[in-house]
């Protein structure tokens, strides 16, 4: 299982200038390579290298850095074409799709630049790195991270690391290949119902309410609007200071919820059943005031956190079809749209059971998870006559 560990670099003034100059240069050259690729119909990486590698070397890039710039551009076009095929950028001839197809991909000046072990070396005990720059290789660049992150780096770091700059601060994002724990045979499943009013509700009784997070988002939205309206230097400075604050808060909240769910499943020797919610933003139609709430709902991030934490702990995990889980009675399996009286109340028209709507849905998800797990274990080999 691959996870990433982010460390913060603490370079001195000269080192920071060299890193900043390097990022600016490689990303400017990546834009040039992108223009060449676009003009030539985005050829394969080997052919693109023949058209661009000599120029990159003449601009002062090292051999490995030049290769990484070319590969970064080719990977960006591969991702773009995959999104086009999947319809993520709209239907053919839509404004968004035409805009994406009609011009070369551009790279921000502080965009990530990949480094391999030939360009970057780690000294874990000293917590320093040696890294290639346009000014030559600089050594003893300090970095800071948590104790757990440092231990993961020491044991499992493998492959490339990305250098990025955010608001004048440099980070290295390292790829770590962490072994997955062996999954046990679950003694039942915990169903997890994801939502907006209640971020996560489990069939065992845990409920993470979204009221506090919703209030926090509304407060941040109002504050951003107020500062943007002023358009003064101090307001712009405050906006820059507050950038990504909401994103970090939501990410921390999702980490806490995911850890709570996985820990409970591990303690009770249960598996976890999650809803398959891909494409929900395209399927759901909402009024304009509700769209901000839906599109800022980080259910995919929470699901990813639950998945990787479950794999590290050896907790079995399955995905189930979420269709009718909110309309089905978990006791008698009767399905009726009228069963869902309102957001929080479920009253079955068949057997009369009264339950919390999200709790009822989580029990349905748990039952489907057990069925999916059992079906996966059954042999498909025909019986011997």
């Amino acid at each position: 299982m691959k996870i990433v560990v982010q460390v913060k670099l603490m370079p001195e003034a000269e080192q920071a200038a060299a890193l900043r100059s390097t990022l600016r240069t490689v990303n400017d050259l990546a834009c040039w390579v992108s223009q060449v690729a676009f003009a030539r119909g985005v050829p394969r990486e080997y052919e693109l290298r023949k058209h661009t590698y000599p120029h990159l070397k003449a601009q002062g890039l090292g051999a490995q850095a030049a290769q990484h710039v070319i590969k970064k551009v080719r990977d960006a076009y591969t991702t773009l074409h995959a999104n086009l095929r999947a319809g993520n950028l709209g239907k053919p001839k839509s404004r968004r799709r035409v805009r994406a197809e009609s011009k070369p991909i551009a790279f921000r000046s502080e965009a990530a630049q990949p480094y391999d072990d030939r360009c970057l070396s780690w000294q874990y005990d000293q917590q320093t790195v040696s890294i290639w720059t346009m000014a030559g290789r600089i050594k003893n660049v300090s970095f800071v991270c948590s104790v757990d992150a440092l231990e993961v780096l020491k044991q499992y770091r493998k492959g490339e690391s990305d250098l990025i700059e955010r608001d004048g601060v440099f980070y290295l994002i390292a790829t770590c290949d962490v072994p997955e724990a062996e999954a046990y045979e679950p003694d039942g499943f915990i169903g997890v119902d994801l939502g907006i009013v209640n971020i996560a509700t489990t069939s065992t009784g845990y409920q993470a309410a979204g009221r506090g997070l919703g209030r926090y988002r509304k407060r941040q939205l109002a504050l951003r609007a107020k500062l943007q309206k002023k358009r003064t230097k101090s307001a712009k400075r405050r906006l820059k200071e507050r950038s990504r604050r909401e994103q970090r808060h939501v990410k921390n909240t999702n980490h806490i919820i995911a850890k709570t769910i996985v820990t409970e499943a591990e303690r009770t020797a249960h598996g976890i059943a999650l809803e398959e919610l891909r494409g929900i933003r395209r399927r759901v139609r909402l009024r304009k005031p509700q769209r901000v709430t839906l599109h800022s709902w980080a259910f995919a991030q929470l699901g990813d956190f639950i998945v990787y934490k479950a794999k590290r702990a050896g907790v079995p995990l399955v995905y189930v079809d979420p269709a009718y889980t909110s309309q089905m009675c978990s006791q008698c399996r009767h399905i009726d749209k009228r069963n869902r009286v309102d957001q929080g109340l479920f009253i079955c028209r068949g057997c009369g059971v009264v339950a919390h709507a999200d709790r009822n849905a989580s029990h349905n998800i748990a039952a489907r998870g057990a069925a999916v797990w059992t079906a996966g274990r059954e042999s498909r080999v025909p019986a011997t006559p």
Side-chain angles (χ1 to χ4, degrees), residues 150-381:
L150 183 61
E151 201 60 35
V152 172
L153 280 173
K154 286 182 178 180
Q155 296 184 40
Y156 306 117
R157 190 199 65 79
K158 186 177 181 181
E160 295 180 353
S161 302
D162 288 344
L163 173 68
I164 63 171
E165 182 185 2
R166 292 189 193 137
D167 301 327
V169 181
F170 295 95
Y171 298 91
L172 276 174
I173 302 178
T175 304
C176 299
D177 193 359
V178 180
E180 297 180 16
E182 185 177 354
Y184 52 79
E185 184 66 26
D187 186 18
F189 275 80
I190 296 176
V192 182
D193 179 65
L194 303 178
I196 296 176
V197 175
N198 295 306
I199 302 173
T201 304
T202 69
S203 55
T204 56
Y206 171 70
Q207 189 175 73
R211 188 184 304 110
L213 190 58
R215 285 200 299 261
Y216 177 84
R217 279 177 167 153
K218 288 181 180 178
R219 190 165 62 249
Q220 296 299 317
L221 182 63
L223 182 57
R224 284 196 299 270
K226 182 179 178 181
L227 291 173
Q228 288 168 354
K229 190 176 180 180
K230 287 183 178 295
R231 295 186 177 181
T232 61
K233 287 186 177 180
S234 60
K236 292 178 181 178
R237 185 173 64 250
R238 289 291 301 278
L239 279 170
K240 187 175 181 180
E241 291 172 355
R242 302 186 67 84
S243 64
R244 287 189 288 272
R245 182 174 295 185
E246 179 181 335
Q247 179 184 0
R248 293 194 299 270
H249 179 76
V250 173
K251 186 176 181 180
N252 181 64
T253 301
N254 282 337
H255 267 300
I256 294 172
I257 295 171
K259 186 175 182 179
T260 302
I261 294 172
V262 173
T263 301
E264 184 177 12
E266 186 180 17
R267 179 180 59 83
T268 58
H270 277 59
I272 297 174
L274 290 177
E275 303 168 279
E276 178 57 77
L277 295 176
R278 292 180 185 173
I280 189 171
R281 288 190 174 92
R282 294 193 298 272
R283 297 195 305 267
V284 176
R285 296 292 180 264
L286 295 172
R287 295 179 179 177
K288 192 172 183 179
Q290 297 172 301
R291 293 174 194 166
V292 174
T293 303
L294 176 69
H295 288 280
S296 59
W297 180 36
F299 65 90
Q301 185 188 73
L302 175 57
D304 291 342
F305 287 170
I306 294 175
V307 169
Y308 99 81
K309 291 179 189 293
K311 286 182 178 180
R312 291 196 69 179
V315 176
L317 186 141
V318 295
Y319 284 99
V320 302
D321 183 3
Y324 304 108
T325 53
S326 62
Q327 301 175 15
M328 179 190 294
C329 176
S330 59
Q331 300 297 321
C332 68
R333 305 300 178 194
H334 175 67
I335 300 176
D336 194 325
K337 186 182 293 186
R338 297 173 298 173
N339 287 349
R340 186 76 179 257
V341 178
D342 57 29
Q343 192 282 323
L345 181 60
F346 183 92
I347 302 177
C348 180
R349 299 277 174 166
C351 65
V353 68
V354 179
H356 188 282
D358 293 339
R359 189 70 47 76
N360 175 78
S362 67
H363 283 291
N364 290 329
I365 294 169
R368 291 187 182 184
V372 169
W373 181 263
T374 302
R377 290 187 305 170
E378 292 177 352
S379 174
R380 297 288 186 255
V381 179

Side-chain angles (χ1 to χ4, degrees), residues 59-91:
Q59 295 298 313
L61 265 64
Q64 289 301 112
Q67 302 282 10
H68 283 304
V69 168
I70 298 169
K71 187 175 184 298
K72 178 170 72 170
V73 172
R74 192 62 188 85
D75 289 345
Y77 276 101
T78 300
T79 302
L80 173 63
H81 293 157
N83 283 323
L84 292 173
R85 287 194 301 271
N88 296 333
L89 297 177
K91 297 179 180 179

